Amino acid sequence: MFKSIFSNSFGILISRVTGLGRDVLMTSVLGANMWSDIFLMAFKFPNLFRRIFAEGSFTQSFMPSYIASNQKSVFAVAIFIRFMTFIVFLSFLVTLFPGFFTKMLAWDWGHELISKTAPLTAINFWYLDLIFIVTFLGSLLQHKEHFFTTAFSTVWLNIAMITALILFTNSDPKTIVYALSFSILIGGVFQVITHLYAMRQQGLMKILVGGWKYRKTKDVKEEESKFKSLFIPSVLGNSTAQIASFIDTSLASFLAAGSVSYLFYANRIFQLPFAIIALAITTALFPKIAKAINNNNNDLAFENLHKSFWLLNALLGLSVLGGILLAEPIIWLLFERGAFDIQDTLNTARVLQMYMVGLIPFGLAKLFSMYLYAQHKHLKAAKIAVISLVINLIFSIILMQSMGAAGLALAGSIGGAVQFILTIQAVGWSIFFELLKTRFSLYFILGTAGITIAFYALNNFLIHLIR
């Protein structure tokens, strides 16, 4: 399991580091202004659908169904054809009516901003088609417990965008954002090619060939029906985080110029430890737990959960303290150059601190929700996610009045805490307290106290040095 976690984390680390490099270059070239908001808004739209329909929901409902299937290749191809048909149709719809869909995302923006953003929305949305192919192939690779390719593949997207930024650095902002949009599609094509190569290396191409060949002779309707019953609640459960981000972006459009960018850049840093630690651990854990539960081996499933719990707590705890106490030096180091000034650093640092408050609750909620998904309790996880979304929305409207973009980030952390508590309740408080009854609880408390003091002193030294 730890080998799987390490390979997944390493791939995600490379991907996120290149992603940060991309964002650092983007802030230097575009800054935090109207054109950066336009591009990020256009790119937000396919990302919203990608995370709802592709990455989270699909894998969590596909994996248990695929494991239980007696006709794995036919079942996999049948599901792929259905999804791909729908996504291609949706992409054509967005291409034909980009202004309408852009207005759905930024309803407070005027006609001029919408007209500038709409063509970019149409271009960016085709990335969804490519990333669904990546997600489908990645799910098959995860079943074989091969995680590195999917974790690493986003590097191609980042390289393509970095190349566009370098080539068009001296161009006008409009040209730059168009170049970035087309580079996203180029990166997506390379992601697909990488996964096809990994499928061939793992000997999995026969699944696609066999599934296509026998798709009309094998009956998988019952398995498809079971998948649908899991997928709809999974969409609901996984979409709440993306809907919350969607709402935050839209609410930020009511705030001062640059607020959308502050949220984006702070969230990029928040996502680094969340992805490298929480997503890497839960992604590697999910196939193992699903297989154990499918074989009625609940003891093995709990053992894997127990091994991951304290590793997740220790690494996320360290990240939280660093993100909160060293927020300004981190933003200064990564972004403060070119068009990104001191005030942008302070605003983004404040947003980052509010995001980091929710890192441990979000990470643990992700871990325990995987346990629910492996048990086919998708509807229970969906109900919990909806409740947390409502709480998030209520606090977003309240806190943005006094705290601006930072209030939106804090509201998200509050929603994450609610989701964590309700997820633990669904899994069972007895299981949670059983995990806490070890010497690691004491180590965690003492370690947190010591690291807090060290990071506080380091922050004072760095602030004095850079300011």
Side-chain angles (χ1 to χ4, degrees):
M1 183 183 70
F2 287 109
K3 181 181 177 182
S4 297
I5 290 173
F6 176 78
S7 64
N8 198 23
S9 290
F10 185 66
I12 292 174
L13 175 62
I14 299 172
S15 174
R16 296 301 170 123
V17 168
T18 55
L20 275 177
R22 178 198 76 191
D23 292 340
V24 167
L25 186 57
M26 191 187 304
T27 56
S28 180
V29 174
L30 280 177
N33 51 46
M34 179 190 73
W35 282 106
S36 65
D37 283 358
I38 284 174
F39 171 73
L40 295 175
M41 190 69 76
F43 191 37
K44 191 86 172 179
F45 204 59
N47 274 335
L48 172 66
F49 282 90
R50 182 194 79 186
R51 290 168 178 166
I52 292 175
F53 292 108
E55 293 178 349
S57 305
F58 183 82
T59 301
Q60 289 167 4
S61 51
F62 177 81
M63 185 71 73
S65 301
Y66 182 74
I67 290 171
S69 175
N70 295 320
Q71 305 288 342
K72 286 182 169 56
S73 60
V74 177
F75 168 73
V77 169
I79 295 300
F80 175 79
I81 291 172
R82 288 179 181 273
F83 269 78
M84 201 66 207
T85 301
F86 171 76
I87 291 172
V88 169
F89 171 77
L90 184 61
S91 298
F92 274 112
L93 205 60
V94 173
T95 302
L96 291 173
F97 307 101
F100 171 77
F101 286 98
T102 304
K103 190 67 176 178
M104 288 174 56
L105 188 64
W107 62 72
D108 188 53
W109 281 13
H111 175 74
E112 183 181 356
L113 274 178
I114 294 295
S115 63
K116 289 179 179 178
T117 310
L120 296 171
T121 301
I123 296 169
N124 279 270
F125 199 85
W126 285 97
Y127 181 63
L128 175 63
D129 300 67
L130 298 168
I131 210 64
F132 172 70
I133 299 173
V134 168
T135 301
F136 172 75
L137 298 177
S139 297
L140 297 178
L141 290 169
Q142 285 180 29
H143 180 257
K144 290 279 287 186
E145 300 190 14
H146 175 87
F147 302 96
F148 180 77
T149 296
T150 302
F152 172 83
S153 69
T154 313
V155 169
W156 296 118
L157 173 68
N158 297 330
I159 290 174
M161 294 178 71
I162 288 171
T163 302
L165 286 166
I166 292 174
L167 291 176
F168 293 90
T169 298
N170 297 321
S171 301
D172 61 281
K174 181 178 180 180
T175 301
I176 293 172
V177 296
Y178 270 89
L180 282 171
S181 297
F182 283 111
S183 72
I184 287 168
L185 301 185
I186 294 171
V189 170
F190 276 100
Q191 286 181 265
V192 172
I193 293 172
T194 302
H195 276 76
L196 288 173
Y197 177 78
M199 289 283 290
R200 184 178 179 181
Q201 291 295 105
Q202 294 290 322
L204 295 175
M205 292 301 289
K206 59 186 178 183
I207 291 177
L208 303 180
V209 175
W212 179 263
K213 183 178 180 180
Y214 297 106
R215 71 189 188 284
K216 295 182 180 179
T217 60
K218 301 291 185 180
D219 184 14
V220 291
K221 290 183 179 179
E222 184 177 344
E223 294 171 355
E224 286 186 66
S225 177
K226 185 176 182 180
F227 168 80
K228 290 177 184 176
S229 69
L230 297 178
F231 180 72
I232 294 174
S234 187
V235 167
L236 185 60
N238 282 278
S239 64
T240 53
Q242 313 315 321
I243 292 172
S245 179
F246 174 93
I247 292 172
D248 283 350
T249 302
S250 299
L251 289 175
S253 68
F254 288 88
L255 301 174
S259 294
V260 172
S261 298
Y262 300 146
L263 283 170
F264 175 80
Y265 295 132
N267 189 258
R268 286 293 295 171
I269 298 173
F270 168 83
Q271 289 296 330
L272 186 62
F274 183 74
I276 293 174
I277 301 167
L279 289 185
I281 290 175
T282 55
T283 301
L285 188 67
F286 186 51
K288 294 182 178 295
I289 287 184
K291 290 175 184 177
I293 290 177
N294 186 64
N295 295 325
N296 295 316
N297 193 344
N298 291 322
D299 290 339
L300 179 60
F302 179 77
E303 182 183 345
N304 284 319
L305 179 68
H306 184 271
K307 287 179 180 179
S308 304
F309 177 77
W310 282 110
L311 177 63
L312 188 67
N313 264 300
L315 296 177
L316 289 184
L318 184 65
S319 301
V320 168
L321 294 175
I324 292 176
L325 297 174
L326 302 173
E328 186 179 344
I330 289 172
I331 301 298
W332 170 83
L333 176 65
L334 294 175
F335 300 127
E336 192 179 309
R337 59 185 57 82
F340 200 93
D341 59 23
I342 295 175
Q343 191 58 49
D344 291 329
T345 294
L346 296 175
N347 291 338
T348 306
R350 191 173 178 222
V351 174
L352 174 61
Q353 289 174 324
M354 297 302 101
Y355 270 132
M356 296 304 290
V357 169
L359 182 58
I360 289 181
F362 271 121
L364 292 180
K366 186 72 174 176
L367 178 66
F368 286 98
S369 66
M370 288 295 102
Y371 202 78
L372 292 179
Y373 285 123
Q375 292 177 314
H376 296 234
K377 294 181 179 179
H378 291 60
L379 185 59
K380 173 68 73 173
K383 290 179 179 178
I384 292 170
V386 169
I387 293 172
S388 69
L389 174 63
V390 173
I391 298 296
N392 185 352
L393 177 58
I394 292 172
F395 277 95
S396 290
I397 295 172
I398 295 172
L399 295 176
M400 68 179 285
Q401 308 296 329
S402 57
M403 298 176 64
L408 296 175
L410 180 58
S413 295
I414 293 171
V418 171
Q419 185 175 6
F420 164 65
I421 293 171
L422 294 178
T423 302
I424 293 297
Q425 186 177 26
V427 171
W429 284 103
S430 59
I431 293 177
F432 179 68
F433 287 127
E434 189 69 26
L435 293 171
L436 293 178
K437 291 179 182 178
T438 68
R439 64 185 185 280
F440 294 112
S441 294
L442 178 60
Y443 296 161
F444 183 78
I445 294 171
L446 294 177
T448 298
I451 293 170
T452 298
I453 295 171
F455 278 174
Y456 179 78
L458 178 60
N459 180 67
N460 288 338
F461 170 75
L462 290 175
I463 292 296
H464 177 75
L465 187 68
I466 66 179
R467 299 304 183 198

